[in-house]
Amino acid sequence: MAFELRPLPFDKHALEPAMSATTLDFHYGKHHAGYVKKLNELVKGTDLENAGLETVIQRTNGKKEQQGIFNNAAQVWNHDFFWDSIAPNGGGETPELIRKQLEQAFGSLENFKDRFVDAAVARFGSGWAWLVSKNGKLEIVTTANAEVPFTSGAHPLFTCDVWEHAYYLDYQNDRAGFVKAFLKSLVNWQFISKRLTETKAA
Ligand code: FE
């Protein structure tokens, strides 16, 4: 059973103007698709071939000789999660459950957004900015390259891809502008609420 490129959960024009169809053509159609293809090539004939994606990530995490498998598996997971983290007509009103927790953790919703943008901009090179739940507390973390927070026990609530391929066609070098647009017009609060509920159930 090969790993599959999951269909995008929205039309490629549906996020405009915050994220263009051209960006999605490359980001989803070339980069994300490329990770899936490469992962399948790398695990072919190994005992990871029929494992679940999260199992592949956990089993190859930190193993130098399996770095290539880890990178591609984690990038497939990260991109699936990123597409779930955004939605057409995203942003907008923050549901009460998540808003209260963000206020508790960061003082105010505005302060959370400012800190999220700062963290995303401060991530040097390629990586990801995340809101996670860890030990019952909400935290902003960033990871380098393909790394995922769940290998260190954090439950991801949403993520923003800050690799240049995520924003360069629409925002050029303005990563802060992209992350602000992500929070204002793309972020899928319903998905985050669902993830938060899963944490509570866990
Ligand atoms: Fe990406």
Side-chain angles (χ1 to χ4, degrees):
M1 188 188 75
F3 293 100
E4 287 179 3
L5 178 63
R6 222 183 61 179
L8 267 185
F10 38 74
D11 182 85
K12 68 178 185 177
H13 292 280
L15 305 180
E16 290 172 337
M19 189 179 287
S20 67
T22 312
T23 285
L24 286 166
D25 280 340
F26 282 91
H27 195 179
Y28 173 75
K30 303 285 184 196
H31 292 276
H32 186 176
Y35 297 126
V36 175
K37 185 168 177 284
K38 189 76 188 166
L39 174 62
N40 281 319
E41 288 168 10
L42 290 172
V43 297
K44 201 170 168 47
T46 75
D47 62 346
L48 293 170
E49 191 171 7
N50 295 308
L53 193 55
E54 292 190 17
T55 305
V56 173
I57 293 167
Q58 296 282 13
R59 282 174 54 187
T60 56
N61 179 42
K63 295 192 176 137
K64 222 172 175 185
E65 67 283 5
Q66 290 184 306
Q67 185 76 46
I69 296 177
F70 173 85
N71 284 343
N72 285 283
Q75 283 295 79
V76 173
W77 193 94
N78 287 341
H79 283 89
D80 285 344
F81 196 72
F82 178 55
W83 307 132
D84 283 339
S85 296
I86 59 182
N89 305 311
E93 197 74 8
T94 312
E96 196 177 343
L97 174 75
I98 180 85
R99 184 173 52 76
K100 281 190 169 163
Q101 294 214 21
L102 288 169
E103 286 171 357
Q104 200 177 11
F106 303 100
S108 70
L109 192 57
E110 283 318 303
N111 191 43
F112 157 70
K113 289 180 181 176
D114 289 346
R115 285 182 54 188
F116 190 84
V117 173
D118 289 348
V121 169
R123 164 50 59 190
F124 186 75
S126 297
W128 300 81
W130 308 79
L131 178 69
V132 302
S133 170
K134 192 171 186 184
N135 303 322
K137 274 185 63 185
L138 299 192
E139 289 176 27
I140 295 166
V141 297
T142 68
T143 56
N145 302 319
E147 285 167 20
V148 293
F150 65 77
T151 51
S152 54
H155 178 72
L157 300 178
F158 77 92
T159 193
C160 183
D161 188 342
V162 296
W163 284 58
E164 284 187 348
H165 66 221
Y167 60 88
Y168 223 84
L169 291 172
D170 295 329
Y171 299 85
Q172 285 75 55
N173 61 329
D174 184 13
R175 186 188 286 186
F178 164 61
V179 180
K180 283 176 189 168
F182 167 88
L183 291 171
K184 183 167 181 271
S185 318
L186 295 174
V187 70
N188 184 350
W189 290 116
Q190 276 62 42
F191 175 71
I192 299 163
S193 297
K194 192 174 131 250
R195 292 287 296 178
L196 194 60
T197 314
E198 286 167 6
T199 328
K200 292 195 161 185

